[in-house]
Amino acid sequence: MIRHGAAGTGPRSCPSLVTLASLLIVFSVAACSAAGSTSSLSAEPSPTVSILASAPTSRSPSPSSTPAPSASATASGGFAPTGSMTVGRDGHTATLLADGRVLVAGGLENADSSHPLSSAELYDPATGEFSPTGSMSIPRSWHTATLLQDGRVLIVGGYDSDDFTGTGEAPAPAQSVPAVTPGPPDPRRIAELYDPKTGTFSRTGSMAVDRYGHTATLLNDGRVLIAGGESLAAGDNPSGGTLASAELYDPGTGTFNPTGSMTVPRTGHTATLLADGRVLIAGGSGDDSAELYDPITGRFGPTGSLSIARTNHTATLLADGRVLISGGVVATDSNNPTASAEIYDPMTGTFSPTGSMTTARASQTATLLADGQVLVTGGSWSTGDPGLSAELYDPTTGTFSPTGSMDAQHDTATRLSDGSVLITGGAVSIVGGSESLATAELYRP
């Protein structure tokens, strides 16, 4: 089963068009890794994106009535349950706020439903409990959520319940890349801001084109780079397709403006802010290429290539400025996940192999811990593994080693202020379909 997980501070990545077909079959519906500095399609995609468009078959589990342990109650080096969300969510986002709470927004209440949620909730690590907060203006799943420098959260893209035909399938992707051209108001293009001071969402500017499976990266100057993804309807092309285009969100004006386009269309890719302010774009759409975005010139330029074509992998900025690329779906290997990993060195602009994960993973999450290690959790396997294991990457030795196992699959992993990691939501296979989860866990290093 291939699923898209989410990830880190960035968006989750969406599955490539090849991977998307597998996701459609697995979930009877229509995910970059996330990954990334997350990131993210996130993903089914870091952060990655699966499109779930069949009718609901069951409801998600009800939150537990038993008081949940707080982060301080988590055993060292393992996972322990914490409070449950108010509703099951799959394809949602989880963003650490400046005050230490976590904003959980959107997602699918039932993994077999094409109707995302507009609701949001807050996790308080002091109590280990979730509580409702304001709702988004439109339902969203597989969107991105980016913490801005002023403490607000930018919500961008995703899809809503009106994005599909009556057949329960997403429109077929176009063969050509749609142009980014302004058009009439479209709910999918609308972005919004969450203000933690008021607990409310308000609309802000609109993108030039609708996107899901894109990446969103906070730049050093406070702007947000939105790159790639899939479009359901772009310009004069009603069937949409994979995008090479990118735009910049300016929080000072609340507007989106075009910037240079990537060298190739991508979805299920990762976007990682480097120490020098540039952004590393890697893989996606079955491609082994990588490129760098320079915010000073507003242009993308090529850099070294990955050792293999990866989609729905993760990319994690290490403490020494290098980037760990791990797992993902390998387009040249029958769309099977891989255990391989590699390191990008921005000083040389090249990728080099490092130790392999103990398990092949795609759409996993990868979280940088306070001690410099990387926690890799969950993900999907073509072998049907339930995706509960976790492992640690040690950059000093270049090796992965197993750590505790989770109780359930998940979509997001968010490092909290005390160094523990909050794991939330996701979906699990059940008889006749899939079910979104309301459960949450904490990992303490």
Side-chain angles (χ1 to χ4, degrees):
M1 178 178 71
I2 304 292
R3 294 192 64 258
H4 177 68
T9 60
R12 289 175 302 176
S13 299
C14 161
S16 66
L17 296 179
V18 175
T19 307
L20 189 56
S22 300
L23 288 164
L24 289 169
I25 295 172
V26 173
F27 289 108
S28 301
V29 292
C32 202
S33 152
S37 58
T38 304
S39 159
S40 118
L41 247 178
S42 264
E44 313 274 317
S46 279
T48 53
V49 172
S50 65
I51 303 303
L52 312 178
S54 60
T57 58
S58 61
R59 296 189 62 82
S60 56
S62 301
S64 172
S65 58
T66 303
S70 64
S72 60
T74 309
S76 177
F79 294 87
T82 187
S84 293
M85 295 185 291
T86 60
V87 66
R89 298 179 188 269
D90 182 44
H92 56 287
T93 54
T95 310
L96 180 67
L97 303 178
D99 63 7
R101 295 176 300 168
V102 177
L103 172 68
V104 178
L108 299 167
E109 182 177 3
N110 186 289
D112 288 332
S113 171
S114 63
H115 302 286
L117 296 161
S118 60
S119 67
E121 49 193 300
L122 292 169
Y123 176 77
D124 187 342
T127 63
E129 296 180 349
F130 291 84
S131 59
T133 188
S135 293
M136 297 182 291
S137 63
I138 60 173
R140 301 177 191 264
S141 60
W142 309 115
H143 50 288
T144 57
T146 309
L147 181 68
L148 302 178
Q149 290 179 344
D150 64 5
R152 295 178 299 170
V153 179
L154 174 68
I155 306 291
V156 172
Y159 70 86
D160 62 31
S161 58
D162 295 325
D163 288 342
F164 300 95
T165 64
T167 62
E169 297 180 350
Q175 297 301 312
S176 59
V177 180
V180 178
T181 55
D186 184 334
R188 295 185 302 263
R189 299 181 183 182
I190 295 171
E192 46 196 308
L193 294 167
Y194 176 77
D195 187 341
K197 295 179 180 178
T198 62
T200 58
F201 291 84
S202 59
R203 292 192 175 189
T204 186
S206 295
M207 295 184 292
V209 62
D210 68 278
R211 300 174 190 266
Y212 64 90
H214 55 285
T215 55
T217 310
L218 180 68
L219 304 177
N220 288 337
D221 63 8
R223 295 178 298 170
V224 180
L225 173 67
I226 309 295
E230 299 276 352
S231 173
L232 292 172
D236 295 329
N237 191 341
S239 59
T242 306
L243 300 167
S245 67
E247 352 187 2
L248 289 169
Y249 175 77
D250 186 340
T253 61
T255 58
F256 290 85
N257 297 289
T259 188
S261 292
M262 296 184 292
T263 57
V264 295
R266 300 178 191 269
T267 187
H269 57 290
T270 54
T272 311
L273 181 68
L274 302 177
D276 63 6
R278 295 178 298 171
V279 179
L280 173 67
I281 306 290
S285 299
D287 201 289
D288 65 355
S289 68
E291 49 193 306
L292 292 169
Y293 176 78
D294 187 338
I296 297 177
T297 64
R299 296 178 181 273
F300 291 84
T303 188
S305 294
L306 295 160
S307 62
I308 56 175
R310 300 175 189 266
T311 299
N312 298 341
H313 52 287
T314 55
T316 312
L317 182 68
L318 302 176
D320 62 8
R322 298 178 300 162
V323 180
L324 171 67
I325 307 289
S326 60
V329 171
V330 181
T332 57
D333 187 23
S334 302
N335 290 324
N336 285 325
T338 179
S340 70
E342 48 194 304
I343 295 287
Y344 176 78
D345 187 340
M347 299 297 292
T348 62
T350 58
F351 292 85
S352 58
T354 187
S356 293
M357 296 184 292
T358 60
T359 305
R361 303 174 189 270
S363 302
Q364 70 275 10
T365 59
T367 309
L368 181 68
L369 302 179
D371 64 2
Q373 295 189 94
V374 178
L375 173 67
V376 180
T377 55
S380 310
W381 294 263
S382 57
T383 57
D385 190 294
L388 305 181
S389 68
E391 49 192 301
L392 291 170
Y393 175 77
D394 186 340
T396 61
T397 62
T399 58
F400 290 85
S401 58
T403 187
S405 293
M406 299 173 292
D407 288 334
Q409 292 179 355
H410 71 293
D411 257 9
T412 65
T414 309
R415 192 178 113 185
L416 303 179
S417 301
D418 67 356
S420 59
V421 180
L422 174 67
I423 307 293
T424 64
V428 62
S429 297
I430 59 173
V431 176
S434 299
E435 186 174 46
S436 297
L437 300 173
T439 55
E441 308 180 47
L442 286 165
Y443 175 83
R444 181 172 293 280

